[in-house]
Amino acid sequence: MFEITLLAMGKLKEKFYISAADEYCKRLGAYCKFHLLELPEVRLPENPSPAEIAAGLDREAEVIFSKIPKGAYLCIFTPEGKTLSSEAFAQKMKEVKLSGKSSVCFLIGSSFGISPKVKEKADFKLSMG
């Protein structure tokens, strides 16, 4: 069965979002094995410098790389990514499955974004713009 992993930097806190996420997990279960992993954001000082942000993102990248399933197609959500319609997104996932990949890993970055190291490794960059 096809596997989908969603890596999210940070943790859902609001009950509404937690309930919605649980509902979507149940719905996806009929179509794939779905895993949601909420990873801890690196704590930064208030008003961090660009160097502190870069270092924090690099530390997050280490955790991210350790959680991406081996051989998974990596799709990251980033503003500079490509915007797809629902139909085009479904076609993209079909192409991934037909390419021989048995899993996809989606990544939602932290409040400061995603490390360039992770962006370089991504198979696809998606924008929700």
Side-chain angles (χ1 to χ4, degrees), residues 6 10 12 14 18 21 28 35 39 41-42 46 54-55 67 73 86 90-92 95 100-101 115 117 121:
L6 174 59
L12 288 174
E14 294 83 8
I18 293 169
L28 284 170
H35 311 280
L39 306 175
E41 286 186 80
V42 170
E46 196 168 321
K67 298 299 182 183
Y73 182 89
S86 294
Q91 181 62 35
K92 184 73 172 167
E95 291 168 8
K101 295 280 185 180
S115 168
K117 292 176 183 178
K121 299 283 186 186

Side-chain angles (χ1 to χ4, degrees), residues 74-85 89 92 107 114 119 122-129:
L74 177 60
C75 178
I76 63 171
F77 292 96
T78 182
E80 65 266 20
K82 185 173 181 181
T83 302
L84 298 177
S85 66
F89 179 72
K92 184 73 172 167
L107 171 64
I114 298 171
K119 289 180 181 183
D123 295 300
F124 191 75
K125 296 176 183 96
L126 183 64
S127 174
M128 300 304 280

Side-chain angles (χ1 to χ4, degrees), residues 83-104:
T83 302
L84 298 177
S85 66
S86 294
E87 295 83 3
F89 179 72
Q91 181 62 35
K92 184 73 172 167
M93 292 300 96
K94 181 179 179 181
E95 291 168 8
V96 170
K97 288 174 76 173
L98 292 175
S99 75
K101 295 280 185 180
S102 60
S103 65
V104 172

Side-chain angles (χ1 to χ4, degrees), residues 2-113:
F2 197 69
E3 290 194 39
I4 296 176
T5 301
L6 174 59
L7 302 178
M9 298 307 298
K11 191 161 180 65
L12 288 174
K13 295 176 182 111
E14 294 83 8
K15 288 182 183 181
F16 170 80
Y17 292 123
I18 293 169
S19 295
D22 289 343
E23 179 63 25
Y24 280 106
C25 287
K26 279 193 279 187
R27 290 181 186 192
L28 284 170
Y31 305 100
C32 65
K33 287 185 180 179
F34 180 76
H35 311 280
L36 170 62
L37 299 175
E38 295 172 316
L39 306 175
E41 286 186 80
V42 170
R43 293 192 187 270
L44 295 174
E46 196 168 321
N47 300 316
S49 70
E52 290 171 319
I53 293 170
L57 291 177
D58 284 346
R59 287 195 309 270
E60 288 179 354
E62 293 173 21
V63 174
I64 290 166
F65 287 136
S66 74
K67 298 299 182 183
I68 297 171
K70 186 175 181 167
Y73 182 89
L74 177 60
C75 178
I76 63 171
F77 292 96
T78 182
E80 65 266 20
K82 185 173 181 181
T83 302
L84 298 177
S85 66
S86 294
E87 295 83 3
F89 179 72
Q91 181 62 35
K92 184 73 172 167
M93 292 300 96
K94 181 179 179 181
E95 291 168 8
V96 170
K97 288 174 76 173
L98 292 175
S99 75
K101 295 280 185 180
S102 60
S103 65
V104 172
C105 181
F106 293 98
L107 171 64
I108 300 171
S110 66
S111 56
F112 289 102

